Amino acid sequence: MGVLAHLYPPSLVDSVLKDCNAREERVRDLPHRLVVYFVLACALFMDRGYRLVWDSINVSLWKSLPRSSEDLDVGSSSVTGPALTKARQRLGKDPLEELFRRTANPLAEEGGPGFIGDLRVVSFDGKTLPVPDSRLNREHFSSQSHKETAGYPSVRVVSLVESGTHATIDARIGPASTSEQKLVDDMIPSLKQGMLCLADRSFPSIDRFLRAMETRAQLAWRVRNDWILPVVDVLEQGKSYMSVLVDPKKKHNYARRQIQRKRTGNLPSDYDPKELVGTPIRVVEAWVDKPREYPTSDNKKDWHGASGELIRIITTVDPEILTAEEVVALYAQRWEHETAFSYLGPSLVGKDRILRSQSPDMVYQEMWALLLVYNAVCTTMKSVAELHNADPDRASFKTAAVHIRNHLGADSRGDFSPSSQGRQAP
């Protein structure tokens, strides 16, 4: 059973089923323990139907499981697609989510790839995936204004990812109509001391940033350029400066009165710094050049000159630990999260492919299974990289996924159909 059995052993699956009240009261041809592994296999073989997934699983997948009365004589010849669908529905989404919560942990070792000094670099980001356009999915995953319009409904996943290994540490799933910010709010407690968290400008709010600071994790979040960040003290010869985050709940402090009077980040020269009521924060600003694109008449892209944009990063990291240049360079690692989503989407689900589930509960179950398999592939990549003393970034996600699939596939299926006669209930 390979990586899946190592990461998600039957004893752990049984414990999860028990805690989720998903243990069965009678013996079935498809007990829940086996259905958990079947759902994981479906996440590995997104291009195959239920019966092809079932028939592609190696005999050793089931033989490697500790045999018990509820696992006896499970055959393939009598298993149909509708039976597998009903088995998934009986299992529900909770066991897969709980299995993810128990096993989703950072993979990088201290001092290795993905660390800046003694800080583990992580990031927040979100992605949507299309789901089948069934009536139930449309009602649940589409916004009220788009329920009758064209296009597939979408499920949104927001995750906390370790930059060095791309492993998912935490995740939240919801309809596309649920904002990324709302899903991130539920994951703030997953930040821990010793982490350095990156986030794009769509995530920060003052309240969210202050809540993240309470976890004692270090933060480097990009903010919109319209944020009011008054200069309190200049650092690093003007490369960064100290400012304050004005608590939005404190409506009568000096800084807020100035903001209301004049929408500018520069306070009057006669202001009293003692009246700046807020949380001290370091601000790094940098101008980032980027090419300007002009389409030509033959629809090919020509590049003429360059344009750029001002990026503003608020951070809790001291200048003695990370200089302004290092903060800006570090922020580029946030794009490792985009790489992680390319693994989850085009590489694992498949390019231009939608999920298979026709109801919301099954969509959530399928998404948790995808995240579990995704982490299994990341673990394989890290193990291979360690063997060659290389960075996990040098390992191929597609190759690692194929390796896991090949260890689940089988050409000989004769041993997969034992007789069901003589089975006894516990």
Side-chain angles (χ1 to χ4, degrees):
M1 196 172 149
V3 174
L4 294 182
H6 176 71
L7 289 179
Y8 317 121
S11 58
L12 175 60
V13 172
D14 286 342
S15 175
V16 167
L17 291 172
K18 181 179 179 181
D19 292 347
C20 292
N21 296 319
R23 293 302 299 266
E24 296 156 304
E25 297 181 358
R26 65 185 182 90
V27 177
R28 295 182 181 274
D29 287 335
L30 292 170
H32 283 170
R33 176 199 285 176
L34 297 187
V35 177
V36 169
Y37 291 106
F38 168 73
V39 174
L40 294 177
C42 285
L44 269 175
F45 297 102
M46 289 295 293
D47 59 338
R48 303 184 186 182
Y50 284 165
R51 274 308 304 265
L52 287 177
V53 172
W54 181 266
D55 291 344
S56 296
I57 297 174
N58 197 325
V59 179
S60 62
L61 175 64
W62 311 127
K63 286 188 174 180
S64 65
L65 300 177
R67 307 299 288 177
S68 66
S69 57
E70 64 177 276
D71 289 327
L72 292 177
D73 302 327
V74 178
S76 65
S77 60
S78 61
V79 175
T80 64
L84 292 166
T85 299
K86 291 180 179 178
R88 282 190 61 198
Q89 293 170 346
R90 287 195 301 269
L91 176 66
K93 62 182 176 64
D94 292 342
L96 275 297
E97 179 178 357
E98 179 63 20
L99 185 59
F100 172 83
R101 302 249 174 260
R102 294 196 188 186
T103 57
N105 294 301
L107 298 179
E109 298 178 0
E110 186 172 350
F115 272 81
I116 299 295
D118 58 352
L119 296 174
R120 185 189 306 274
V121 182
V122 299
S123 62
F124 285 122
D125 209 346
K127 179 181 178 62
T128 59
L129 293 171
V131 301
D133 190 22
S134 66
R135 179 182 59 83
L136 293 176
N137 283 345
R138 190 164 57 252
E139 290 178 352
H140 182 80
F141 291 107
S142 297
S143 64
Q144 189 66 34
S145 59
H146 290 83
K147 286 184 179 180
E148 303 301 328
T149 60
Y152 288 105
S154 297
V155 59
R156 186 185 302 280
V157 55
V158 176
S159 57
L160 177 64
V161 163
E162 183 181 49
S163 297
T165 64
H166 301 129
T168 302
I169 302 172
D170 196 6
R172 293 295 185 274
I173 303 172
S177 56
T178 302
S179 69
E180 292 180 346
Q181 292 79 6
K182 182 176 181 180
L183 295 176
V184 162
D185 285 339
D186 294 334
M187 289 194 291
I188 294 295
S190 295
L191 297 176
K192 307 296 182 184
Q193 186 174 8
M195 290 182 175
L196 172 52
C197 179
L198 312 177
D200 197 10
R201 57 185 169 184
S202 63
F203 288 100
S205 70
I206 293 178
D207 180 66
R208 189 172 297 113
F209 192 88
L210 295 177
R211 286 181 54 225
M213 288 182 63
E214 293 175 357
T215 67
R216 303 185 69 182
Q218 298 294 328
L219 308 174
W221 291 10
R222 184 181 177 185
V223 299
R224 297 188 306 273
N225 291 341
D226 60 355
W227 275 41
I228 305 300
L229 296 170
V231 178
V232 175
D233 189 19
V234 177
L235 306 174
E236 303 178 272
Q237 297 180 340
K239 295 179 181 179
S240 65
Y241 63 90
M242 290 301 298
S243 184
V244 293
L245 291 180
V246 181
D247 190 338
K249 297 178 182 178
K250 298 179 180 179
K251 300 181 179 179
H252 303 294
N253 58 52
Y254 179 84
R256 183 159 292 279
R257 292 200 303 271
Q258 294 294 335
I259 291 169
Q260 291 174 347
R261 187 172 66 182
K262 185 177 181 181
R263 298 292 296 180
T264 177
N266 299 316
L267 292 175
S269 58
D270 60 347
Y271 78 92
D272 183 357
K274 295 181 180 180
E275 293 192 48
L276 290 176
V277 180
T279 302
I281 197 68
R282 178 183 172 209
V283 182
V284 177
E285 295 183 348
W287 182 265
V288 177
D289 292 329
K290 59 181 181 179
R292 186 167 61 242
E293 177 184 348
Y294 290 97
T296 57
S297 58
D298 56 357
N299 291 326
K300 294 182 179 180
K301 296 178 180 178
D302 242 346
W303 303 90
H304 301 279
S307 62
E309 63 177 332
L310 177 69
I311 65 171
R312 308 176 80 192
I313 300 172
I314 56 175
T315 180
T316 59
V317 183
D318 192 273
E320 295 184 0
I321 298 177
L322 285 179
T323 65
E325 292 89 344
E326 290 171 330
V327 170
V328 175
L330 173 68
Y331 178 74
Q333 289 198 28
R334 191 198 67 79
W335 291 99
E336 295 289 341
H337 209 128
E338 301 294 336
T339 301
F341 279 143
S342 73
Y343 292 159
L344 181 66
S347 296
L348 198 56
V349 176
K351 187 177 180 180
D352 300 325
R353 184 176 292 119
I354 65 174
L355 303 186
R356 68 176 84 227
S357 302
Q358 301 288 329
S359 66
D361 278 356
M362 295 301 96
V363 168
Y364 289 123
Q365 182 195 77
E366 186 175 1
M367 283 299 305
W368 291 119
L370 282 167
L371 290 171
L372 285 162
V373 170
Y374 169 85
N375 273 351
V377 178
C378 289
T379 302
T380 302
M381 294 168 63
K382 176 179 178 291
S383 299
V384 171
E386 288 178 343
L387 289 176
H388 297 276
N389 195 27
D391 192 310
D393 276 344
R394 299 298 301 274
S396 167
F397 185 92
K398 288 186 177 180
T399 300
V402 169
H403 172 79
I404 297 176
R405 291 185 185 112
N406 289 343
H407 280 73
L408 291 180
D411 294 326
S412 58
R413 306 170 189 170
D415 293 336
F416 198 33
S417 304
S419 171
S420 60
Q421 295 181 359
R423 182 179 56 171
Q424 295 179 355

